[in-house]
Amino acid sequence: MLLTEPEIQQVLEQVKNAFPNLTDWEYNNEKNEEYFGFSVWGQFLINSEELIMPRRFFITLDTYENKWQGCLTVGQHSYLWSSADVGDAHIVDTEPSETLQEAITILKGKIVQLLAAFSA
């Protein structure tokens, strides 16, 4: 699924509001060897003052056909060739959702569930 420019701006506003602590939002709006269609991602840095290797966590929300899915990764954003062999790892993924908001809500719930396992 590809988006129009007004739809892209709406998505960027929605993800920035949903994840206000993430920065450097980027997107892809084409089908190619790395993406099935529209994909948007932002990052959160831990130890950002560390010059050698700060920890980068990414939220990626992307489309496949007419569905949205989300994931939390470390190292780099999610795309078709994501792999621990190339420096990233998927931590949490969602199943395809009908809407962007639904994918965001499910992803946030899975992240909370994951973090609760470490803080209980």
Side-chain angles (χ1 to χ4, degrees):
M1 174 168 65
L2 300 178
L3 303 183
T4 64
E5 189 59 36
E7 289 172 326
I8 292 170
Q9 294 310 311
Q10 182 180 2
V11 166
L12 288 171
E13 181 179 337
Q14 192 171 353
V15 296
K16 287 177 182 180
N17 287 333
F19 300 100
N21 294 317
L22 274 67
T23 61
D24 299 328
W25 287 95
E26 296 182 49
Y27 67 88
N28 173 79
N29 192 36
E30 60 184 68
K31 294 180 182 179
N32 55 38
E33 64 279 352
E34 295 181 348
Y35 301 95
F36 286 124
F38 184 81
S39 181
V40 61
W41 59 91
Q43 70 174 316
F44 178 75
L45 290 175
I46 294 180
N47 299 332
S48 60
E49 67 282 347
E50 195 174 302
L51 297 176
I52 296 175
M53 186 172 284
R55 300 288 178 242
R56 297 176 191 275
F57 291 87
F58 292 84
I59 297 291
T60 305
L61 292 136
D62 56 12
T63 59
Y64 178 69
E65 296 179 353
N66 289 326
K67 306 274 185 181
W68 286 92
Q69 48 195 34
C71 63
L72 169 65
T73 57
V74 63
Q76 59 186 357
H77 71 280
S78 176
Y79 63 104
L80 289 178
W81 301 107
S82 294
S83 167
D85 292 338
V86 291
D88 67 321
H90 283 244
I91 300 170
V92 176
D93 292 307
T94 68
E95 295 298 320
S97 299
E98 294 297 323
T99 67
L100 173 60
Q101 187 57 52
E102 184 181 346
I104 289 170
T105 300
I106 293 169
L107 181 60
K108 282 184 163 189
K110 287 188 169 206
I111 292 170
V112 166
Q113 184 180 16
L114 173 68
L115 295 177
F118 294 102
S119 63

